[in-house]
PDB file of all heavy atoms in Angstrom:
ATOM      1  N   ASP A  12       0.805  -1.211   0.000  1.00 49.00           N
ATOM      2  CA  ASP A  12       0.000   0.000   0.000  1.00 49.00           C
ATOM      3  C   ASP A  12       0.843   1.268   0.000  1.00 49.00           C
ATOM      4  O   ASP A  12       0.316   2.368   0.152  1.00 49.00           O
ATOM      5  CB  ASP A  12      -0.943   0.006   1.208  1.00 49.00           C
ATOM      6  CG  ASP A  12      -0.177  -0.132   2.515  1.00 49.00           C
ATOM      7  OD1 ASP A  12       1.050  -0.403   2.452  1.00 49.00           O
ATOM      8  OD2 ASP A  12      -0.804   0.021   3.582  1.00 49.00           O
ATOM      9  N   THR A  13       2.179   1.130  -0.162  1.00 50.00           N
ATOM     10  CA  THR A  13       3.026   2.309  -0.201  1.00 50.00           C
ATOM     11  C   THR A  13       2.773   3.088  -1.478  1.00 50.00           C
ATOM     12  O   THR A  13       2.647   2.520  -2.567  1.00 50.00           O
ATOM     13  CB  THR A  13       4.517   1.906  -0.142  1.00 50.00           C
ATOM     14  OG1 THR A  13       4.735   1.169   1.065  1.00 50.00           O
ATOM     15  CG2 THR A  13       5.409   3.133  -0.164  1.00 50.00           C
ATOM     16  N   ALA A  14       2.741   4.413  -1.359  1.00 54.00           N
ATOM     17  CA  ALA A  14       2.502   5.261  -2.536  1.00 54.00           C
ATOM     18  C   ALA A  14       3.665   5.137  -3.512  1.00 54.00           C
ATOM     19  O   ALA A  14       4.824   5.178  -3.114  1.00 54.00           O
ATOM     20  CB  ALA A  14       2.343   6.713  -2.093  1.00 54.00           C
ATOM     21  N   ARG A  15       3.370   4.941  -4.802  1.00 52.00           N
ATOM     22  CA  ARG A  15       4.387   4.774  -5.824  1.00 52.00           C
ATOM     23  C   ARG A  15       4.510   6.037  -6.675  1.00 52.00           C
ATOM     24  O   ARG A  15       3.540   6.733  -6.912  1.00 52.00           O
ATOM     25  CB  ARG A  15       4.048   3.575  -6.720  1.00 52.00           C
ATOM     26  CG  ARG A  15       3.985   2.268  -5.963  1.00 52.00           C
ATOM     27  CD  ARG A  15       3.620   1.117  -6.883  1.00 52.00           C
ATOM     28  NE  ARG A  15       3.532  -0.133  -6.156  1.00 52.00           N
ATOM     29  CZ  ARG A  15       4.540  -0.949  -5.920  1.00 52.00           C
ATOM     30  NH1 ARG A  15       5.727  -0.640  -6.372  1.00 52.00           N
ATOM     31  NH2 ARG A  15       4.377  -2.060  -5.248  1.00 52.00           N
ATOM     32  N   LYS A  16       5.787   6.274  -7.185  1.00 49.00           N
ATOM     33  CA  LYS A  16       6.021   7.430  -8.046  1.00 49.00           C
ATOM     34  C   LYS A  16       5.685   7.072  -9.490  1.00 49.00           C
ATOM     35  O   LYS A  16       5.985   5.980  -9.946  1.00 49.00           O
ATOM     36  CB  LYS A  16       7.479   7.878  -7.957  1.00 49.00           C
ATOM     37  CG  LYS A  16       7.860   8.427  -6.598  1.00 49.00           C
ATOM     38  CD  LYS A  16       9.310   8.904  -6.606  1.00 49.00           C
ATOM     39  CE  LYS A  16       9.684   9.479  -5.251  1.00 49.00           C
ATOM     40  NZ  LYS A  16      11.086   9.981  -5.245  1.00 49.00           N
ATOM     41  N   ASN A  17       5.067   8.001 -10.188  1.00 50.00           N
ATOM     42  CA  ASN A  17       4.812   7.807 -11.615  1.00 50.00           C
ATOM     43  C   ASN A  17       5.720   8.720 -12.428  1.00 50.00           C
ATOM     44  O   ASN A  17       6.574   9.424 -11.885  1.00 50.00           O
ATOM     45  CB  ASN A  17       3.337   8.066 -11.943  1.00 50.00           C
ATOM     46  CG  ASN A  17       2.880   9.431 -11.432  1.00 50.00           C
ATOM     47  OD1 ASN A  17       3.671  10.356 -11.380  1.00 50.00           O
ATOM     48  ND2 ASN A  17       1.606   9.513 -11.062  1.00 50.00           N
ATOM     49  N   VAL A  18       5.552   8.715 -13.745  1.00 43.00           N
ATOM     50  CA  VAL A  18       6.420   9.494 -14.626  1.00 43.00           C
ATOM     51  C   VAL A  18       6.366  10.977 -14.288  1.00 43.00           C
ATOM     52  O   VAL A  18       7.374  11.691 -14.361  1.00 43.00           O
ATOM     53  CB  VAL A  18       6.036   9.238 -16.094  1.00 43.00           C
ATOM     54  CG1 VAL A  18       6.858  10.108 -17.031  1.00 43.00           C
ATOM     55  CG2 VAL A  18       6.204   7.777 -16.432  1.00 43.00           C
ATOM     56  N   GLU A  19       5.191  11.454 -13.959  1.00 49.00           N
ATOM     57  CA  GLU A  19       5.038  12.879 -13.703  1.00 49.00           C
ATOM     58  C   GLU A  19       5.765  13.323 -12.446  1.00 49.00           C
ATOM     59  O   GLU A  19       6.188  14.478 -12.323  1.00 49.00           O
ATOM     60  CB  GLU A  19       3.546  13.242 -13.593  1.00 49.00           C
ATOM     61  CG  GLU A  19       2.786  13.203 -14.918  1.00 49.00           C
ATOM     62  CD  GLU A  19       2.474  11.785 -15.373  1.00 49.00           C
ATOM     63  OE1 GLU A  19       2.646  10.867 -14.541  1.00 49.00           O
ATOM     64  OE2 GLU A  19       2.072  11.600 -16.534  1.00 49.00           O
ATOM     65  N   THR A  20       5.896  12.424 -11.458  1.00 49.00           N
ATOM     66  CA  THR A  20       6.484  12.825 -10.183  1.00 49.00           C
ATOM     67  C   THR A  20       7.993  12.603 -10.114  1.00 49.00           C
ATOM     68  O   THR A  20       8.630  13.001  -9.149  1.00 49.00           O
ATOM     69  CB  THR A  20       5.818  12.029  -9.039  1.00 49.00           C
ATOM     70  OG1 THR A  20       6.014  10.634  -9.272  1.00 49.00           O
ATOM     71  CG2 THR A  20       4.332  12.355  -8.972  1.00 49.00           C
ATOM     72  N   ILE A  21       8.587  11.936 -11.150  1.00 44.00           N
ATOM     73  CA  ILE A  21      10.037  11.699 -11.152  1.00 44.00           C
ATOM     74  C   ILE A  21      10.744  12.871 -11.811  1.00 44.00           C
ATOM     75  O   ILE A  21      10.381  13.287 -12.911  1.00 44.00           O
ATOM     76  CB  ILE A  21      10.380  10.402 -11.890  1.00 44.00           C
ATOM     77  CG1 ILE A  21       9.776   9.200 -11.143  1.00 44.00           C
ATOM     78  CG2 ILE A  21      11.888  10.226 -12.029  1.00 44.00           C
ATOM     79  CD1 ILE A  21       9.994   7.887 -11.832  1.00 44.00           C
ATOM     80  N   THR A  22      11.751  13.396 -11.157  1.00 50.00           N
ATOM     81  CA  THR A  22      12.521  14.519 -11.678  1.00 50.00           C
ATOM     82  C   THR A  22      13.783  14.013 -12.375  1.00 50.00           C
ATOM     83  O   THR A  22      14.589  13.309 -11.766  1.00 50.00           O
ATOM     84  CB  THR A  22      12.920  15.474 -10.547  1.00 50.00           C
ATOM     85  OG1 THR A  22      11.734  15.916  -9.866  1.00 50.00           O
ATOM     86  CG2 THR A  22      13.677  16.685 -11.109  1.00 50.00           C
ATOM     87  N   VAL A  23      13.944  14.347 -13.644  1.00 43.00           N
ATOM     88  CA  VAL A  23      15.120  13.942 -14.420  1.00 43.00           C
ATOM     89  C   VAL A  23      16.122  15.091 -14.431  1.00 43.00           C
ATOM     90  O   VAL A  23      15.773  16.207 -14.831  1.00 43.00           O
ATOM     91  CB  VAL A  23      14.732  13.571 -15.863  1.00 43.00           C
ATOM     92  CG1 VAL A  23      15.971  13.157 -16.662  1.00 43.00           C
ATOM     93  CG2 VAL A  23      13.706  12.456 -15.848  1.00 43.00           C
ATOM     94  N   PRO A  24      17.381  14.850 -13.977  1.00 45.00           N
ATOM     95  CA  PRO A  24      18.360  15.947 -13.981  1.00 45.00           C
ATOM     96  C   PRO A  24      18.714  16.350 -15.407  1.00 45.00           C
ATOM     97  O   PRO A  24      18.793  15.525 -16.308  1.00 45.00           O
ATOM     98  CB  PRO A  24      19.574  15.331 -13.265  1.00 45.00           C
ATOM     99  CG  PRO A  24      19.420  13.870 -13.459  1.00 45.00           C
ATOM    100  CD  PRO A  24      17.955  13.604 -13.463  1.00 45.00           C
ATOM    101  N   GLU A  25      18.930  17.636 -15.602  1.00 52.00           N
ATOM    102  CA  GLU A  25      19.292  18.138 -16.918  1.00 52.00           C
ATOM    103  C   GLU A  25      20.781  17.950 -17.169  1.00 52.00           C
ATOM    104  O   GLU A  25      21.603  18.155 -16.274  1.00 52.00           O
ATOM    105  CB  GLU A  25      18.930  19.625 -17.022  1.00 52.00           C
ATOM    106  CG  GLU A  25      17.438  19.897 -16.965  1.00 52.00           C
ATOM    107  CD  GLU A  25      17.137  21.373 -17.164  1.00 52.00           C
ATOM    108  OE1 GLU A  25      18.107  22.133 -17.364  1.00 52.00           O
ATOM    109  OE2 GLU A  25      15.953  21.741 -17.140  1.00 52.00           O
ATOM    110  N   LEU A  26      21.132  17.539 -18.394  1.00 42.00           N
ATOM    111  CA  LEU A  26      22.539  17.365 -18.774  1.00 42.00           C
ATOM    112  C   LEU A  26      23.128  18.708 -19.146  1.00 42.00           C
ATOM    113  O   LEU A  26      22.499  19.522 -19.821  1.00 42.00           O
ATOM    114  CB  LEU A  26      22.661  16.400 -19.961  1.00 42.00           C
ATOM    115  CG  LEU A  26      22.241  14.953 -19.705  1.00 42.00           C
ATOM    116  CD1 LEU A  26      22.337  14.161 -21.004  1.00 42.00           C
ATOM    117  CD2 LEU A  26      23.104  14.321 -18.638  1.00 42.00           C
ATOM    118  N   SER A  27      24.363  18.914 -18.699  1.00 45.00           N
ATOM    119  CA  SER A  27      25.050  20.152 -19.058  1.00 45.00           C
ATOM    120  C   SER A  27      25.429  20.106 -20.532  1.00 45.00           C
ATOM    121  O   SER A  27      25.628  19.041 -21.104  1.00 45.00           O
ATOM    122  CB  SER A  27      26.314  20.317 -18.204  1.00 45.00           C
ATOM    123  OG  SER A  27      27.158  19.217 -18.366  1.00 45.00           O
ATOM    124  N   PRO A  28      25.555  21.247 -21.186  1.00 46.00           N
ATOM    125  CA  PRO A  28      25.825  21.277 -22.641  1.00 46.00           C
ATOM    126  C   PRO A  28      27.095  20.542 -23.033  1.00 46.00           C
ATOM    127  O   PRO A  28      27.163  19.953 -24.105  1.00 46.00           O
ATOM    128  CB  PRO A  28      25.926  22.777 -22.942  1.00 46.00           C
ATOM    129  CG  PRO A  28      25.172  23.444 -21.847  1.00 46.00           C
ATOM    130  CD  PRO A  28      25.353  22.592 -20.629  1.00 46.00           C
ATOM    131  N   GLU A  29      28.132  20.544 -22.147  1.00 44.00           N
ATOM    132  CA  GLU A  29      29.396  19.942 -22.560  1.00 44.00           C
ATOM    133  C   GLU A  29      29.351  18.429 -22.625  1.00 44.00           C
ATOM    134  O   GLU A  29      30.248  17.804 -23.189  1.00 44.00           O
ATOM    135  CB  GLU A  29      30.525  20.391 -21.626  1.00 44.00           C
ATOM    136  CG  GLU A  29      30.296  20.078 -20.158  1.00 44.00           C
ATOM    137  CD  GLU A  29      29.625  21.241 -19.447  1.00 44.00           C
ATOM    138  OE1 GLU A  29      29.069  22.098 -20.149  1.00 44.00           O
ATOM    139  OE2 GLU A  29      29.672  21.278 -18.207  1.00 44.00           O
ATOM    140  N   VAL A  30      28.341  17.783 -22.021  1.00 37.00           N
ATOM    141  CA  VAL A  30      28.275  16.335 -22.081  1.00 37.00           C
ATOM    142  C   VAL A  30      27.274  15.840 -23.115  1.00 37.00           C
ATOM    143  O   VAL A  30      27.115  14.647 -23.297  1.00 37.00           O
ATOM    144  CB  VAL A  30      27.924  15.728 -20.700  1.00 37.00           C
ATOM    145  CG1 VAL A  30      28.950  16.110 -19.684  1.00 37.00           C
ATOM    146  CG2 VAL A  30      26.527  16.154 -20.257  1.00 37.00           C
ATOM    147  N   LEU A  31      26.596  16.752 -23.764  1.00 40.00           N
ATOM    148  CA  LEU A  31      25.662  16.344 -24.806  1.00 40.00           C
ATOM    149  C   LEU A  31      26.417  15.934 -26.063  1.00 40.00           C
ATOM    150  O   LEU A  31      27.458  16.502 -26.395  1.00 40.00           O
ATOM    151  CB  LEU A  31      24.700  17.504 -25.132  1.00 40.00           C
ATOM    152  CG  LEU A  31      23.694  17.879 -24.038  1.00 40.00           C
ATOM    153  CD1 LEU A  31      22.922  19.115 -24.466  1.00 40.00           C
ATOM    154  CD2 LEU A  31      22.753  16.728 -23.744  1.00 40.00           C
ATOM    155  N   ILE A  32      25.951  14.915 -26.761  1.00 40.00           N
ATOM    156  CA  ILE A  32      26.600  14.430 -27.977  1.00 40.00           C
ATOM    157  C   ILE A  32      26.238  15.331 -29.147  1.00 40.00           C
ATOM    158  O   ILE A  32      25.068  15.682 -29.351  1.00 40.00           O
ATOM    159  CB  ILE A  32      26.177  12.982 -28.272  1.00 40.00           C
ATOM    160  CG1 ILE A  32      26.614  12.069 -27.132  1.00 40.00           C
ATOM    161  CG2 ILE A  32      26.754  12.494 -29.593  1.00 40.00           C
ATOM    162  CD1 ILE A  32      26.176  10.649 -27.303  1.00 40.00           C
ATOM    163  N   ASP A  33      27.238  15.694 -29.885  1.00 46.00           N
ATOM    164  CA  ASP A  33      27.032  16.524 -31.074  1.00 46.00           C
ATOM    165  C   ASP A  33      26.158  15.750 -32.071  1.00 46.00           C
ATOM    166  O   ASP A  33      26.454  14.606 -32.422  1.00 46.00           O
ATOM    167  CB  ASP A  33      28.394  16.840 -31.703  1.00 46.00           C
ATOM    168  CG  ASP A  33      28.263  17.835 -32.861  1.00 46.00           C
ATOM    169  OD1 ASP A  33      27.132  18.079 -33.305  1.00 46.00           O
ATOM    170  OD2 ASP A  33      29.311  18.336 -33.308  1.00 46.00           O
ATOM    171  N   PRO A  34      25.072  16.333 -32.524  1.00 49.00           N
ATOM    172  CA  PRO A  34      24.189  15.611 -33.456  1.00 49.00           C
ATOM    173  C   PRO A  34      24.867  15.243 -34.770  1.00 49.00           C
ATOM    174  O   PRO A  34      24.404  14.363 -35.483  1.00 49.00           O
ATOM    175  CB  PRO A  34      23.033  16.594 -33.675  1.00 49.00           C
ATOM    176  CG  PRO A  34      23.565  17.928 -33.269  1.00 49.00           C
ATOM    177  CD  PRO A  34      24.556  17.668 -32.184  1.00 49.00           C
ATOM    178  N   THR A  35      25.981  15.902 -35.086  1.00 52.00           N
ATOM    179  CA  THR A  35      26.680  15.595 -36.347  1.00 52.00           C
ATOM    180  C   THR A  35      27.680  14.461 -36.186  1.00 52.00           C
ATOM    181  O   THR A  35      28.348  14.075 -37.149  1.00 52.00           O
ATOM    182  CB  THR A  35      27.416  16.840 -36.851  1.00 52.00           C
ATOM    183  OG1 THR A  35      28.412  17.227 -35.881  1.00 52.00           O
ATOM    184  CG2 THR A  35      26.457  17.999 -37.078  1.00 52.00           C
ATOM    185  N   THR A  36      27.821  13.908 -34.957  1.00 40.00           N
ATOM    186  CA  THR A  36      28.786  12.841 -34.715  1.00 40.00           C
ATOM    187  C   THR A  36      28.389  11.583 -35.474  1.00 40.00           C
ATOM    188  O   THR A  36      27.212  11.198 -35.504  1.00 40.00           O
ATOM    189  CB  THR A  36      28.864  12.524 -33.212  1.00 40.00           C
ATOM    190  OG1 THR A  36      29.233  13.708 -32.515  1.00 40.00           O
ATOM    191  CG2 THR A  36      29.919  11.451 -32.954  1.00 40.00           C
ATOM    192  N   THR A  37      29.381  10.926 -36.083  1.00 45.00           N
ATOM    193  CA  THR A  37      29.140   9.700 -36.843  1.00 45.00           C
ATOM    194  C   THR A  37      29.784   8.516 -36.143  1.00 45.00           C
ATOM    195  O   THR A  37      30.546   8.670 -35.187  1.00 45.00           O
ATOM    196  CB  THR A  37      29.720   9.821 -38.262  1.00 45.00           C
ATOM    197  OG1 THR A  37      31.135  10.009 -38.156  1.00 45.00           O
ATOM    198  CG2 THR A  37      29.102  10.999 -38.997  1.00 45.00           C
ATOM    199  N   VAL A  38      29.502   7.321 -36.657  1.00 36.00           N
ATOM    200  CA  VAL A  38      30.058   6.104 -36.080  1.00 36.00           C
ATOM    201  C   VAL A  38      31.580   6.104 -36.184  1.00 36.00           C
ATOM    202  O   VAL A  38      32.280   5.624 -35.297  1.00 36.00           O
ATOM    203  CB  VAL A  38      29.465   4.869 -36.792  1.00 36.00           C
ATOM    204  CG1 VAL A  38      30.124   3.591 -36.283  1.00 36.00           C
ATOM    205  CG2 VAL A  38      27.969   4.819 -36.594  1.00 36.00           C
ATOM    206  N   GLU A  39      32.097   6.672 -37.282  1.00 46.00           N
ATOM    207  CA  GLU A  39      33.552   6.663 -37.477  1.00 46.00           C
ATOM    208  C   GLU A  39      34.289   7.419 -36.381  1.00 46.00           C
ATOM    209  O   GLU A  39      35.455   7.152 -36.097  1.00 46.00           O
ATOM    210  CB  GLU A  39      33.902   7.267 -38.846  1.00 46.00           C
ATOM    211  CG  GLU A  39      33.586   6.370 -40.027  1.00 46.00           C
ATOM    212  CD  GLU A  39      32.087   6.296 -40.319  1.00 46.00           C
ATOM    213  OE1 GLU A  39      31.346   7.130 -39.772  1.00 46.00           O
ATOM    214  OE2 GLU A  39      31.675   5.407 -41.086  1.00 46.00           O
ATOM    215  N   ASP A  40      33.574   8.380 -35.740  1.00 45.00           N
ATOM    216  CA  ASP A  40      34.219   9.160 -34.684  1.00 45.00           C
ATOM    217  C   ASP A  40      34.532   8.303 -33.463  1.00 45.00           C
ATOM    218  O   ASP A  40      35.319   8.700 -32.609  1.00 45.00           O
ATOM    219  CB  ASP A  40      33.327  10.342 -34.273  1.00 45.00           C
ATOM    220  CG  ASP A  40      33.169  11.343 -35.405  1.00 45.00           C
ATOM    221  OD1 ASP A  40      34.147  11.556 -36.137  1.00 45.00           O
ATOM    222  OD2 ASP A  40      32.069  11.900 -35.548  1.00 45.00           O
ATOM    223  N   PHE A  41      33.885   7.145 -33.336  1.00 36.00           N
ATOM    224  CA  PHE A  41      34.114   6.268 -32.196  1.00 36.00           C
ATOM    225  C   PHE A  41      35.004   5.083 -32.559  1.00 36.00           C
ATOM    226  O   PHE A  41      35.178   4.164 -31.775  1.00 36.00           O
ATOM    227  CB  PHE A  41      32.776   5.752 -31.645  1.00 36.00           C
ATOM    228  CG  PHE A  41      31.928   6.831 -31.055  1.00 36.00           C
ATOM    229  CD1 PHE A  41      30.943   7.449 -31.810  1.00 36.00           C
ATOM    230  CD2 PHE A  41      32.124   7.260 -29.758  1.00 36.00           C
ATOM    231  CE1 PHE A  41      30.161   8.454 -31.275  1.00 36.00           C
ATOM    232  CE2 PHE A  41      31.338   8.259 -29.208  1.00 36.00           C
ATOM    233  CZ  PHE A  41      30.354   8.870 -29.963  1.00 36.00           C
ATOM    234  N   THR A  42      35.594   5.094 -33.755  1.00 40.00           N
ATOM    235  CA  THR A  42      36.478   4.011 -34.175  1.00 40.00           C
ATOM    236  C   THR A  42      37.763   4.059 -33.356  1.00 40.00           C
ATOM    237  O   THR A  42      38.353   5.122 -33.193  1.00 40.00           O
ATOM    238  CB  THR A  42      36.830   4.149 -35.672  1.00 40.00           C
ATOM    239  OG1 THR A  42      35.619   4.150 -36.413  1.00 40.00           O
ATOM    240  CG2 THR A  42      37.726   2.995 -36.120  1.00 40.00           C
ATOM    241  N   PRO A  43      38.227   2.929 -32.773  1.00 40.00           N
ATOM    242  CA  PRO A  43      39.459   2.939 -31.984  1.00 40.00           C
ATOM    243  C   PRO A  43      40.634   3.439 -32.805  1.00 40.00           C
ATOM    244  O   PRO A  43      40.730   3.200 -34.012  1.00 40.00           O
ATOM    245  CB  PRO A  43      39.636   1.454 -31.605  1.00 40.00           C
ATOM    246  CG  PRO A  43      38.275   0.850 -31.741  1.00 40.00           C
ATOM    247  CD  PRO A  43      37.599   1.610 -32.830  1.00 40.00           C
ATOM    248  N   ALA A  44      41.547   4.136 -32.118  1.00 41.00           N
ATOM    249  CA  ALA A  44      42.728   4.673 -32.798  1.00 41.00           C
ATOM    250  C   ALA A  44      43.649   3.541 -33.238  1.00 41.00           C
ATOM    251  O   ALA A  44      43.797   2.532 -32.551  1.00 41.00           O
ATOM    252  CB  ALA A  44      43.476   5.613 -31.857  1.00 41.00           C
ATOM    253  N   VAL A  45      44.254   3.696 -34.392  1.00 47.00           N
ATOM    254  CA  VAL A  45      45.209   2.710 -34.896  1.00 47.00           C
ATOM    255  C   VAL A  45      46.520   3.419 -35.172  1.00 47.00           C
ATOM    256  O   VAL A  45      46.598   4.640 -35.250  1.00 47.00           O
ATOM    257  CB  VAL A  45      44.697   2.032 -36.190  1.00 47.00           C
ATOM    258  CG1 VAL A  45      43.448   1.232 -35.922  1.00 47.00           C
ATOM    259  CG2 VAL A  45      44.442   3.076 -37.268  1.00 47.00           C
ATOM    260  N   TRP A  46      47.597   2.600 -35.309  1.00 47.00           N
ATOM    261  CA  TRP A  46      48.905   3.172 -35.599  1.00 47.00           C
ATOM    262  C   TRP A  46      48.877   3.877 -36.956  1.00 47.00           C
ATOM    263  O   TRP A  46      48.360   3.364 -37.943  1.00 47.00           O
ATOM    264  CB  TRP A  46      49.966   2.071 -35.643  1.00 47.00           C
ATOM    265  CG  TRP A  46      50.324   1.494 -34.316  1.00 47.00           C
ATOM    266  CD1 TRP A  46      50.009   0.255 -33.841  1.00 47.00           C
ATOM    267  CD2 TRP A  46      51.081   2.121 -33.285  1.00 47.00           C
ATOM    268  NE1 TRP A  46      50.507   0.079 -32.586  1.00 47.00           N
ATOM    269  CE2 TRP A  46      51.172   1.204 -32.221  1.00 47.00           C
ATOM    270  CE3 TRP A  46      51.687   3.369 -33.158  1.00 47.00           C
ATOM    271  CZ2 TRP A  46      51.856   1.500 -31.053  1.00 47.00           C
ATOM    272  CZ3 TRP A  46      52.363   3.649 -31.988  1.00 47.00           C
ATOM    273  CH2 TRP A  46      52.437   2.727 -30.954  1.00 47.00           C
ATOM    274  N   GLU A  47      49.448   5.056 -36.994  1.00 59.00           N
ATOM    275  CA  GLU A  47      49.646   5.735 -38.272  1.00 59.00           C
ATOM    276  C   GLU A  47      50.891   5.146 -38.923  1.00 59.00           C
ATOM    277  O   GLU A  47      51.959   5.107 -38.319  1.00 59.00           O
ATOM    278  CB  GLU A  47      49.828   7.230 -38.047  1.00 59.00           C
ATOM    279  CG  GLU A  47      50.007   8.012 -39.334  1.00 59.00           C
ATOM    280  CD  GLU A  47      50.165   9.499 -39.087  1.00 59.00           C
ATOM    281  OE1 GLU A  47      49.978   9.918 -37.927  1.00 59.00           O
ATOM    282  OE2 GLU A  47      50.477  10.217 -40.047  1.00 59.00           O
ATOM    283  N   VAL A  48      50.743   4.659 -40.133  1.00 61.00           N
ATOM    284  CA  VAL A  48      51.860   4.011 -40.812  1.00 61.00           C
ATOM    285  C   VAL A  48      52.965   5.025 -41.055  1.00 61.00           C
ATOM    286  O   VAL A  48      52.743   6.096 -41.630  1.00 61.00           O
ATOM    287  CB  VAL A  48      51.399   3.382 -42.145  1.00 61.00           C
ATOM    288  CG1 VAL A  48      52.577   2.780 -42.889  1.00 61.00           C
ATOM    289  CG2 VAL A  48      50.339   2.319 -41.872  1.00 61.00           C
ATOM    290  N   GLU A  49      54.154   4.691 -40.572  1.00 69.00           N
ATOM    291  CA  GLU A  49      55.288   5.593 -40.700  1.00 69.00           C
ATOM    292  C   GLU A  49      56.057   5.301 -41.983  1.00 69.00           C
ATOM    293  O   GLU A  49      56.031   4.189 -42.506  1.00 69.00           O
ATOM    294  CB  GLU A  49      56.219   5.426 -39.492  1.00 69.00           C
ATOM    295  CG  GLU A  49      55.539   5.697 -38.155  1.00 69.00           C
ATOM    296  CD  GLU A  49      56.440   5.356 -36.984  1.00 69.00           C
ATOM    297  OE1 GLU A  49      57.593   4.956 -37.218  1.00 69.00           O
ATOM    298  OE2 GLU A  49      55.988   5.490 -35.839  1.00 69.00           O
ATOM    299  N   ILE A  50      56.751   6.312 -42.453  1.00 67.00           N
ATOM    300  CA  ILE A  50      57.622   6.161 -43.618  1.00 67.00           C
ATOM    301  C   ILE A  50      59.060   6.196 -43.116  1.00 67.00           C
ATOM    302  O   ILE A  50      59.546   7.251 -42.686  1.00 67.00           O
ATOM    303  CB  ILE A  50      57.388   7.279 -44.650  1.00 67.00           C
ATOM    304  CG1 ILE A  50      55.923   7.247 -45.117  1.00 67.00           C
ATOM    305  CG2 ILE A  50      58.343   7.132 -45.826  1.00 67.00           C
ATOM    306  CD1 ILE A  50      55.569   8.376 -46.061  1.00 67.00           C
TER     307      ILE A  50
END
């Protein structure tokens, strides 16, 4: 019989701008770094 929280009563913290993902980011941006072939 305990009162339960619903969607309306839950507070979601706002993300700061610096942690938001750039909408232009592509999958290639997350590709692991590899050795640059040296000459």
Side-chain angles (χ1 to χ4, degrees):
D12 57 351
T13 301
R15 299 179 181 273
K16 293 182 179 181
N17 53 31
V18 176
E19 288 76 12
T20 59
I21 296 177
T22 303
V23 180
E25 294 184 1
L26 295 176
S27 57
E29 57 268 17
V30 300
L31 292 175
I32 298 177
D33 186 348
T35 62
T36 302
T37 62
V38 175
E39 286 74 13
D40 294 323
F41 294 95
T42 302
V45 296
W46 288 109
E47 181 179 352
V48 177
E49 301 173 2
I50 301 176

